[in-house]
Amino acid sequence: KNEVEQSPQNLTAQEGEFITINCSYSVGISALHWLQQHPGGGIVSLFMLSSGKKKHGRLIATINIQEKHSSLHITASHPRDSAVYICAVRSPVIAGGTSYGKLTFGQGTILTVHP
Amino acid sequence: DVKVTQSSRYLVKRTGEKVFLECVQDMDHENMFWYRQDPGLGLRLIYFSYDVKMKEKGDIPEGYSVSREKKERFSLILESASTNQTSMYLCASSLRGNSPLHFGNGTRLTVT
């Protein structure tokens, strides 16, 4: 079983629909990231959160630490939202006397929004 | 804005060749990372570096080595490329241990 599981793997929506992507994890974390990857490869960080809820424009990310679960919501979806959305959890690791956050990634959710 | 630049977007190499993938960041970040991304497997960490000349193995270091001679540059080396190293390679950097990651645009490597 993967340490980070996303659902669904593929999601198709009509423009304007409300979209939810889920992420469950099984390890202790210091933070959780939601990332967006457009065709061509570049990855952009959308949110980094360790508790509660964050909102940026039409995007909302929530996390429930006790349940080890996070959701990414997109309100009023648009074709330009079509991308792969990746959940990643950050676990503290000590290397060379320095603490750094090791990221473990989910497999990604492919979102397609049709006009 | 932080810029992480990978030297090539697409690369085609032959089996057995030595391959260098270069990554440069312009924001004096301490940490740099190399990932590979494969369908169904997500991103997996190959190596990372937390300081100049310092490196640590990630989850899948076999067949790879890295070099960090200057703070801004982190190179991934495939000593003898094999077809199972055909993949998308992504470089990332972060200011310090728990800072957000900034990714490059990726290099799609094909080994024939």
Short mmCIF file of all heavy atoms in Angstrom, two decimals, chain B residues 11-68:
data_model
loop_
_atom_site.label_atom_id
_atom_site.label_comp_id
_atom_site.label_asym_id
_atom_site.label_seq_id
_atom_site.Cartn_x
_atom_site.Cartn_y
_atom_site.Cartn_z
N LEU B 11 15.80 14.89 -24.31
CA LEU B 11 17.13 14.34 -24.54
C LEU B 11 16.97 12.90 -25.01
O LEU B 11 16.18 12.14 -24.42
CB LEU B 11 17.90 14.38 -23.22
CG LEU B 11 19.39 14.58 -23.17
CD1 LEU B 11 19.82 15.77 -24.00
CD2 LEU B 11 19.84 14.76 -21.73
N VAL B 12 17.71 12.53 -26.04
CA VAL B 12 17.70 11.15 -26.51
C VAL B 12 19.14 10.65 -26.47
O VAL B 12 20.03 11.26 -27.06
CB VAL B 12 17.14 11.03 -27.94
CG1 VAL B 12 17.17 9.58 -28.40
CG2 VAL B 12 15.72 11.58 -28.01
N LYS B 13 19.36 9.54 -25.78
CA LYS B 13 20.70 8.99 -25.62
C LYS B 13 20.67 7.49 -25.92
O LYS B 13 19.60 6.86 -25.88
CB LYS B 13 21.21 9.21 -24.19
CG LYS B 13 21.40 10.67 -23.83
CD LYS B 13 22.55 11.29 -24.60
CE LYS B 13 22.75 12.74 -24.23
NZ LYS B 13 23.87 13.34 -25.01
N ARG B 14 21.85 6.95 -26.20
CA ARG B 14 21.95 5.53 -26.48
C ARG B 14 22.37 4.76 -25.23
O ARG B 14 23.05 5.31 -24.34
CB ARG B 14 22.98 5.29 -27.58
CG ARG B 14 22.55 5.85 -28.93
CD ARG B 14 23.30 5.16 -30.07
NE ARG B 14 22.86 5.67 -31.36
CZ ARG B 14 21.81 5.21 -32.00
NH1 ARG B 14 21.10 4.24 -31.48
NH2 ARG B 14 21.47 5.71 -33.16
N THR B 15 21.98 3.53 -25.17
CA THR B 15 22.37 2.65 -24.06
C THR B 15 23.88 2.65 -23.90
O THR B 15 24.62 2.54 -24.90
CB THR B 15 21.88 1.21 -24.34
OG1 THR B 15 20.47 1.23 -24.49
CG2 THR B 15 22.25 0.28 -23.20
N GLY B 16 24.32 2.80 -22.65
CA GLY B 16 25.74 2.79 -22.35
C GLY B 16 26.39 4.16 -22.33
O GLY B 16 27.51 4.31 -21.82
N GLU B 17 25.72 5.17 -22.85
CA GLU B 17 26.28 6.52 -22.84
C GLU B 17 26.28 7.09 -21.42
O GLU B 17 25.44 6.74 -20.59
CB GLU B 17 25.45 7.46 -23.73
CG GLU B 17 25.75 7.38 -25.19
CD GLU B 17 25.14 8.55 -25.96
OE1 GLU B 17 25.67 9.67 -25.85
OE2 GLU B 17 24.14 8.32 -26.66
N LYS B 18 27.21 7.99 -21.17
CA LYS B 18 27.21 8.75 -19.92
C LYS B 18 26.38 10.00 -20.16
O LYS B 18 26.59 10.72 -21.15
CB LYS B 18 28.63 9.11 -19.51
CG LYS B 18 28.76 9.69 -18.11
CD LYS B 18 30.23 9.76 -17.68
CE LYS B 18 30.35 10.20 -16.23
NZ LYS B 18 31.74 10.16 -15.74
N VAL B 19 25.43 10.25 -19.26
CA VAL B 19 24.48 11.34 -19.46
C VAL B 19 24.56 12.31 -18.29
O VAL B 19 24.60 11.89 -17.12
CB VAL B 19 23.04 10.80 -19.58
CG1 VAL B 19 22.05 11.95 -19.82
CG2 VAL B 19 22.93 9.77 -20.70
N PHE B 20 24.57 13.58 -18.60
CA PHE B 20 24.59 14.63 -17.58
C PHE B 20 23.30 15.44 -17.69
O PHE B 20 22.99 15.97 -18.74
CB PHE B 20 25.78 15.57 -17.77
CG PHE B 20 27.11 14.94 -17.52
CD1 PHE B 20 27.77 14.25 -18.54
CD2 PHE B 20 27.72 15.03 -16.28
CE1 PHE B 20 29.02 13.66 -18.32
CE2 PHE B 20 28.97 14.45 -16.05
CZ PHE B 20 29.61 13.77 -17.07
N LEU B 21 22.59 15.55 -16.57
CA LEU B 21 21.44 16.45 -16.51
C LEU B 21 21.79 17.56 -15.54
O LEU B 21 22.19 17.31 -14.40
CB LEU B 21 20.19 15.71 -16.03
CG LEU B 21 19.74 14.51 -16.87
CD1 LEU B 21 18.46 13.93 -16.31
CD2 LEU B 21 19.56 14.88 -18.32
N GLU B 22 21.64 18.80 -16.03
CA GLU B 22 22.05 19.95 -15.22
C GLU B 22 20.85 20.71 -14.69
O GLU B 22 19.84 20.85 -15.37
CB GLU B 22 22.90 20.89 -16.08
CG GLU B 22 24.11 20.24 -16.73
CD GLU B 22 25.23 19.96 -15.76
OE1 GLU B 22 25.18 20.47 -14.61
OE2 GLU B 22 26.15 19.22 -16.13
N CYS B 23 21.01 21.25 -13.49
CA CYS B 23 19.96 22.04 -12.87
C CYS B 23 20.60 23.24 -12.17
O CYS B 23 21.57 23.07 -11.41
CB CYS B 23 19.20 21.19 -11.87
SG CYS B 23 17.94 22.08 -10.93
N VAL B 24 20.04 24.41 -12.40
CA VAL B 24 20.57 25.63 -11.80
C VAL B 24 19.42 26.40 -11.15
O VAL B 24 18.36 26.54 -11.76
CB VAL B 24 21.25 26.52 -12.85
CG1 VAL B 24 21.72 27.83 -12.22
CG2 VAL B 24 22.42 25.79 -13.48
N GLN B 25 19.63 26.86 -9.91
CA GLN B 25 18.63 27.72 -9.25
C GLN B 25 19.29 29.05 -8.91
O GLN B 25 20.48 29.12 -8.63
CB GLN B 25 18.03 27.04 -8.02
CG GLN B 25 19.04 26.44 -7.04
CD GLN B 25 19.48 27.35 -5.94
OE1 GLN B 25 18.98 28.48 -5.79
NE2 GLN B 25 20.43 26.88 -5.13
N ASP B 26 18.46 30.10 -8.91
CA ASP B 26 19.01 31.45 -8.81
C ASP B 26 18.68 32.14 -7.50
O ASP B 26 18.78 33.36 -7.40
CB ASP B 26 18.54 32.29 -9.99
CG ASP B 26 17.02 32.52 -9.99
OD1 ASP B 26 16.33 31.97 -9.10
OD2 ASP B 26 16.54 33.23 -10.89
N MET B 27 18.27 31.37 -6.48
CA MET B 27 17.82 32.03 -5.25
C MET B 27 18.61 31.58 -4.02
O MET B 27 18.12 31.66 -2.91
CB MET B 27 16.33 31.76 -5.02
CG MET B 27 15.45 32.57 -5.94
SD MET B 27 15.69 34.36 -5.74
CE MET B 27 14.97 34.61 -4.10
N ASP B 28 19.84 31.09 -4.22
CA ASP B 28 20.71 30.78 -3.09
C ASP B 28 20.08 29.72 -2.16
O ASP B 28 20.26 29.77 -0.93
CB ASP B 28 21.02 32.06 -2.29
CG ASP B 28 22.33 31.94 -1.51
OD1 ASP B 28 23.26 31.29 -2.02
OD2 ASP B 28 22.40 32.49 -0.38
N HIS B 29 19.33 28.80 -2.73
CA HIS B 29 18.69 27.76 -1.92
C HIS B 29 19.71 26.76 -1.42
O HIS B 29 20.64 26.38 -2.14
CB HIS B 29 17.62 27.04 -2.74
CG HIS B 29 16.36 27.82 -2.88
ND1 HIS B 29 15.26 27.34 -3.56
CD2 HIS B 29 16.01 29.04 -2.41
CE1 HIS B 29 14.29 28.23 -3.49
NE2 HIS B 29 14.72 29.28 -2.82
N GLU B 30 19.49 26.30 -0.18
CA GLU B 30 20.39 25.31 0.40
C GLU B 30 20.17 23.92 -0.21
O GLU B 30 21.11 23.18 -0.44
CB GLU B 30 20.15 25.21 1.91
CG GLU B 30 20.59 26.44 2.69
CD GLU B 30 20.29 26.31 4.17
OE1 GLU B 30 19.69 25.29 4.58
OE2 GLU B 30 20.63 27.23 4.92
N ASN B 31 18.91 23.56 -0.37
CA ASN B 31 18.57 22.18 -0.73
C ASN B 31 18.22 22.06 -2.20
O ASN B 31 17.49 22.88 -2.75
CB ASN B 31 17.37 21.71 0.10
CG ASN B 31 17.63 21.80 1.58
OD1 ASN B 31 18.69 21.43 2.04
ND2 ASN B 31 16.66 22.30 2.31
N MET B 32 18.72 21.01 -2.80
CA MET B 32 18.36 20.70 -4.19
C MET B 32 18.08 19.21 -4.31
O MET B 32 18.67 18.40 -3.59
CB MET B 32 19.47 21.14 -5.15
CG MET B 32 19.68 22.66 -5.14
SD MET B 32 20.80 23.26 -6.41
CE MET B 32 19.77 23.14 -7.88
N PHE B 33 17.17 18.87 -5.22
CA PHE B 33 16.65 17.51 -5.31
C PHE B 33 16.57 17.08 -6.78
O PHE B 33 16.28 17.89 -7.64
CB PHE B 33 15.24 17.43 -4.73
CG PHE B 33 15.10 17.95 -3.33
CD1 PHE B 33 14.97 19.31 -3.08
CD2 PHE B 33 15.09 17.08 -2.25
CE1 PHE B 33 14.83 19.79 -1.78
CE2 PHE B 33 14.95 17.54 -0.95
CZ PHE B 33 14.82 18.89 -0.71
N TRP B 34 16.77 15.79 -7.00
CA TRP B 34 16.46 15.18 -8.30
C TRP B 34 15.42 14.09 -8.10
O TRP B 34 15.58 13.20 -7.26
CB TRP B 34 17.71 14.57 -8.94
CG TRP B 34 18.52 15.55 -9.72
CD1 TRP B 34 19.73 16.08 -9.40
CD2 TRP B 34 18.18 16.10 -11.00
NE1 TRP B 34 20.16 16.94 -10.37
CE2 TRP B 34 19.23 16.97 -11.37
CE3 TRP B 34 17.10 15.96 -11.88
CZ2 TRP B 34 19.23 17.69 -12.57
CZ3 TRP B 34 17.09 16.67 -13.05
CH2 TRP B 34 18.15 17.51 -13.39
N TYR B 35 14.34 14.20 -8.90
CA TYR B 35 13.28 13.21 -8.90
C TYR B 35 13.14 12.63 -10.31
O TYR B 35 13.47 13.28 -11.29
CB TYR B 35 11.93 13.85 -8.56
CG TYR B 35 11.81 14.41 -7.17
CD1 TYR B 35 12.10 15.76 -6.91
CD2 TYR B 35 11.41 13.62 -6.10
CE1 TYR B 35 11.97 16.29 -5.63
CE2 TYR B 35 11.27 14.14 -4.82
CZ TYR B 35 11.56 15.48 -4.60
OH TYR B 35 11.44 15.98 -3.33
N ARG B 36 12.60 11.42 -10.38
CA ARG B 36 12.12 10.93 -11.66
C ARG B 36 10.63 10.64 -11.52
O ARG B 36 10.15 10.30 -10.43
CB ARG B 36 12.88 9.70 -12.17
CG ARG B 36 12.80 8.45 -11.38
CD ARG B 36 13.54 7.29 -12.06
NE ARG B 36 12.79 6.71 -13.16
CZ ARG B 36 13.26 5.73 -13.95
NH1 ARG B 36 14.48 5.25 -13.76
NH2 ARG B 36 12.52 5.23 -14.92
N GLN B 37 9.93 10.83 -12.63
CA GLN B 37 8.49 10.68 -12.63
C GLN B 37 8.09 9.67 -13.69
O GLN B 37 8.42 9.86 -14.87
CB GLN B 37 7.80 12.02 -12.90
CG GLN B 37 6.29 11.97 -12.82
CD GLN B 37 5.66 13.32 -13.08
OE1 GLN B 37 6.20 14.14 -13.82
NE2 GLN B 37 4.51 13.58 -12.47
N ASP B 38 7.40 8.62 -13.29
CA ASP B 38 6.98 7.57 -14.20
C ASP B 38 5.49 7.32 -14.02
O ASP B 38 4.97 7.39 -12.90
CB ASP B 38 7.76 6.29 -13.93
CG ASP B 38 9.25 6.48 -14.10
OD1 ASP B 38 9.67 6.61 -15.26
OD2 ASP B 38 9.99 6.51 -13.10
N PRO B 39 4.80 7.01 -15.12
CA PRO B 39 3.35 6.74 -15.03
C PRO B 39 3.04 5.66 -14.01
O PRO B 39 3.67 4.61 -13.99
CB PRO B 39 3.00 6.29 -16.46
CG PRO B 39 4.06 6.88 -17.31
CD PRO B 39 5.30 6.90 -16.48
N GLY B 40 2.07 5.94 -13.16
CA GLY B 40 1.65 4.97 -12.16
C GLY B 40 2.52 4.92 -10.92
O GLY B 40 2.14 4.30 -9.92
N LEU B 41 3.69 5.58 -10.97
CA LEU B 41 4.60 5.53 -9.82
C LEU B 41 4.78 6.89 -9.16
O LEU B 41 5.33 6.98 -8.07
CB LEU B 41 5.97 5.00 -10.26
CG LEU B 41 5.99 3.57 -10.79
CD1 LEU B 41 7.39 3.21 -11.28
CD2 LEU B 41 5.55 2.58 -9.70
N GLY B 42 4.34 7.93 -9.81
CA GLY B 42 4.50 9.26 -9.23
C GLY B 42 5.95 9.72 -9.25
O GLY B 42 6.79 9.19 -9.98
N LEU B 43 6.26 10.70 -8.44
CA LEU B 43 7.62 11.22 -8.33
C LEU B 43 8.38 10.44 -7.27
O LEU B 43 7.88 10.22 -6.16
CB LEU B 43 7.63 12.69 -7.94
CG LEU B 43 7.38 13.70 -9.05
CD1 LEU B 43 5.90 13.92 -9.26
CD2 LEU B 43 8.08 15.01 -8.73
N ARG B 44 9.59 10.05 -7.61
CA ARG B 44 10.44 9.34 -6.65
C ARG B 44 11.79 10.05 -6.55
O ARG B 44 12.36 10.45 -7.56
CB ARG B 44 10.63 7.89 -7.10
CG ARG B 44 9.34 7.06 -7.05
CD ARG B 44 9.58 5.66 -7.57
NE ARG B 44 9.86 5.65 -9.00
CZ ARG B 44 10.36 4.60 -9.65
NH1 ARG B 44 10.67 3.49 -9.01
NH2 ARG B 44 10.57 4.67 -10.97
N LEU B 45 12.28 10.15 -5.32
CA LEU B 45 13.51 10.89 -5.05
C LEU B 45 14.73 10.04 -5.39
O LEU B 45 14.89 8.92 -4.89
CB LEU B 45 13.55 11.31 -3.58
CG LEU B 45 14.76 12.10 -3.13
CD1 LEU B 45 14.82 13.46 -3.84
CD2 LEU B 45 14.72 12.31 -1.62
N ILE B 46 15.62 10.59 -6.22
CA ILE B 46 16.85 9.88 -6.60
C ILE B 46 17.98 10.27 -5.64
O ILE B 46 18.59 9.42 -5.01
CB ILE B 46 17.24 10.23 -8.05
CG1 ILE B 46 16.09 9.94 -9.01
CG2 ILE B 46 18.49 9.45 -8.45
CD1 ILE B 46 16.33 10.46 -10.42
N TYR B 47 18.27 11.54 -5.56
CA TYR B 47 19.30 12.08 -4.68
C TYR B 47 18.87 13.47 -4.24
O TYR B 47 18.12 14.15 -4.94
CB TYR B 47 20.64 12.23 -5.42
CG TYR B 47 21.58 11.06 -5.32
CD1 TYR B 47 21.63 10.11 -6.33
CD2 TYR B 47 22.45 10.92 -4.24
CE1 TYR B 47 22.51 9.04 -6.26
CE2 TYR B 47 23.34 9.85 -4.16
CZ TYR B 47 23.36 8.92 -5.17
OH TYR B 47 24.24 7.86 -5.10
N PHE B 48 19.42 13.91 -3.13
CA PHE B 48 19.28 15.31 -2.77
C PHE B 48 20.58 15.83 -2.17
O PHE B 48 21.46 15.05 -1.76
CB PHE B 48 18.08 15.54 -1.85
CG PHE B 48 18.27 15.05 -0.45
CD1 PHE B 48 18.70 15.91 0.55
CD2 PHE B 48 18.00 13.74 -0.12
CE1 PHE B 48 18.86 15.47 1.85
CE2 PHE B 48 18.15 13.28 1.18
CZ PHE B 48 18.58 14.14 2.17
N SER B 49 20.67 17.14 -2.09
CA SER B 49 21.86 17.79 -1.55
C SER B 49 21.42 18.92 -0.64
O SER B 49 20.56 19.72 -1.01
CB SER B 49 22.73 18.34 -2.68
OG SER B 49 23.74 19.18 -2.16
N TYR B 50 22.01 18.97 0.57
CA TYR B 50 21.63 20.02 1.51
C TYR B 50 22.73 21.07 1.66
O TYR B 50 22.59 22.01 2.44
CB TYR B 50 21.26 19.43 2.87
CG TYR B 50 22.30 18.50 3.44
CD1 TYR B 50 23.34 18.98 4.22
CD2 TYR B 50 22.25 17.13 3.18
CE1 TYR B 50 24.30 18.13 4.73
CE2 TYR B 50 23.20 16.28 3.68
CZ TYR B 50 24.22 16.78 4.46
OH TYR B 50 25.18 15.93 4.95
N ASP B 51 23.81 20.92 0.92
CA ASP B 51 24.88 21.92 0.96
C ASP B 51 25.86 21.58 -0.16
O ASP B 51 25.84 20.47 -0.71
CB ASP B 51 25.58 21.90 2.31
CG ASP B 51 26.33 23.19 2.62
OD1 ASP B 51 26.42 24.06 1.73
OD2 ASP B 51 26.82 23.33 3.76
N VAL B 52 26.74 22.51 -0.45
CA VAL B 52 27.76 22.27 -1.47
C VAL B 52 28.58 21.04 -1.11
O VAL B 52 28.96 20.87 0.06
CB VAL B 52 28.66 23.51 -1.62
CG1 VAL B 52 29.79 23.23 -2.60
CG2 VAL B 52 27.86 24.71 -2.08
N LYS B 53 28.80 20.20 -2.08
CA LYS B 53 29.58 18.97 -1.95
C LYS B 53 28.94 17.93 -1.04
O LYS B 53 29.53 16.88 -0.81
CB LYS B 53 31.01 19.27 -1.47
CG LYS B 53 31.83 20.10 -2.45
CD LYS B 53 33.29 20.15 -2.04
CE LYS B 53 34.07 21.11 -2.92
NZ LYS B 53 34.14 20.65 -4.32
N MET B 54 27.74 18.20 -0.52
CA MET B 54 27.05 17.22 0.32
C MET B 54 25.92 16.59 -0.47
O MET B 54 25.21 17.28 -1.21
CB MET B 54 26.50 17.88 1.58
CG MET B 54 27.51 18.68 2.37
SD MET B 54 28.97 17.72 2.84
CE MET B 54 28.30 16.72 4.14
N LYS B 55 25.75 15.28 -0.30
CA LYS B 55 24.69 14.59 -1.02
C LYS B 55 24.18 13.44 -0.17
O LYS B 55 24.90 12.90 0.67
CB LYS B 55 25.19 14.07 -2.36
CG LYS B 55 26.33 13.07 -2.23
CD LYS B 55 26.90 12.70 -3.58
CE LYS B 55 28.06 11.71 -3.40
NZ LYS B 55 28.73 11.42 -4.68
N GLU B 56 22.92 13.11 -0.40
CA GLU B 56 22.30 11.99 0.28
C GLU B 56 21.50 11.19 -0.73
O GLU B 56 20.86 11.76 -1.61
CB GLU B 56 21.36 12.47 1.39
CG GLU B 56 22.03 13.09 2.60
CD GLU B 56 22.66 12.06 3.53
OE1 GLU B 56 22.23 10.89 3.48
OE2 GLU B 56 23.55 12.43 4.30
N LYS B 57 21.52 9.87 -0.58
CA LYS B 57 20.72 9.02 -1.46
C LYS B 57 19.25 9.18 -1.12
O LYS B 57 18.86 9.29 0.04
CB LYS B 57 21.14 7.56 -1.29
CG LYS B 57 22.53 7.26 -1.79
CD LYS B 57 22.88 5.79 -1.58
CE LYS B 57 24.29 5.51 -2.09
NZ LYS B 57 24.67 4.09 -1.87
N GLY B 58 18.45 9.14 -2.18
CA GLY B 58 17.02 9.11 -2.01
C GLY B 58 16.51 7.69 -2.02
O GLY B 58 17.18 6.76 -1.55
N ASP B 59 15.35 7.50 -2.62
CA ASP B 59 14.73 6.18 -2.61
C ASP B 59 15.22 5.27 -3.73
O ASP B 59 15.16 4.05 -3.60
CB ASP B 59 13.20 6.34 -2.72
CG ASP B 59 12.63 7.11 -1.54
OD1 ASP B 59 13.08 6.86 -0.41
OD2 ASP B 59 11.77 7.98 -1.76
N ILE B 60 15.69 5.85 -4.82
CA ILE B 60 16.10 5.04 -5.98
C ILE B 60 17.42 5.54 -6.57
O ILE B 60 17.50 5.95 -7.71
CB ILE B 60 15.00 5.03 -7.08
CG1 ILE B 60 14.53 6.47 -7.40
CG2 ILE B 60 13.80 4.18 -6.65
CD1 ILE B 60 13.78 6.57 -8.70
N PRO B 61 18.52 5.48 -5.81
CA PRO B 61 19.79 6.03 -6.30
C PRO B 61 20.56 5.13 -7.26
O PRO B 61 21.52 5.60 -7.90
CB PRO B 61 20.58 6.21 -5.00
CG PRO B 61 20.07 5.11 -4.12
CD PRO B 61 18.61 4.94 -4.45
N GLU B 62 20.17 3.88 -7.37
CA GLU B 62 20.96 2.93 -8.16
C GLU B 62 21.05 3.37 -9.62
O GLU B 62 20.04 3.65 -10.26
CB GLU B 62 20.35 1.52 -8.06
CG GLU B 62 20.35 0.92 -6.68
CD GLU B 62 19.24 1.46 -5.79
OE1 GLU B 62 18.26 2.03 -6.33
OE2 GLU B 62 19.36 1.34 -4.56
N GLY B 63 22.26 3.38 -10.13
CA GLY B 63 22.48 3.76 -11.53
C GLY B 63 22.69 5.25 -11.74
O GLY B 63 22.91 5.69 -12.87
N TYR B 64 22.64 6.01 -10.65
CA TYR B 64 22.79 7.46 -10.72
C TYR B 64 23.88 7.94 -9.77
O TYR B 64 24.17 7.30 -8.76
CB TYR B 64 21.49 8.17 -10.35
CG TYR B 64 20.28 7.78 -11.14
CD1 TYR B 64 19.42 6.78 -10.68
CD2 TYR B 64 19.99 8.42 -12.34
CE1 TYR B 64 18.30 6.42 -11.42
CE2 TYR B 64 18.87 8.07 -13.07
CZ TYR B 64 18.03 7.07 -12.60
OH TYR B 64 16.92 6.72 -13.33
N SER B 65 24.46 9.08 -10.09
CA SER B 65 25.30 9.80 -9.14
C SER B 65 25.00 11.29 -9.31
O SER B 65 24.30 11.67 -10.25
CB SER B 65 26.79 9.52 -9.37
OG SER B 65 27.18 9.94 -10.66
N VAL B 66 25.48 12.09 -8.38
CA VAL B 66 25.21 13.53 -8.43
C VAL B 66 26.48 14.30 -8.10
O VAL B 66 27.43 13.77 -7.53
CB VAL B 66 24.08 13.96 -7.46
CG1 VAL B 66 22.73 13.46 -7.93
CG2 VAL B 66 24.39 13.50 -6.05
N SER B 67 26.43 15.57 -8.45
CA SER B 67 27.55 16.47 -8.15
C SER B 67 27.00 17.84 -7.80
O SER B 67 26.13 18.36 -8.50
CB SER B 67 28.47 16.58 -9.38
OG SER B 67 29.43 17.58 -9.19
N ARG B 68 27.53 18.40 -6.70
CA ARG B 68 27.17 19.76 -6.35
C ARG B 68 28.44 20.50 -5.94
O ARG B 68 28.78 20.59 -4.76
CB ARG B 68 26.11 19.81 -5.24
CG ARG B 68 25.51 21.20 -5.10
CD ARG B 68 24.28 21.19 -4.29
NE ARG B 68 23.68 22.52 -4.18
CZ ARG B 68 22.86 22.86 -3.20
NH1 ARG B 68 22.55 22.00 -2.26
NH2 ARG B 68 22.35 24.07 -3.18
#
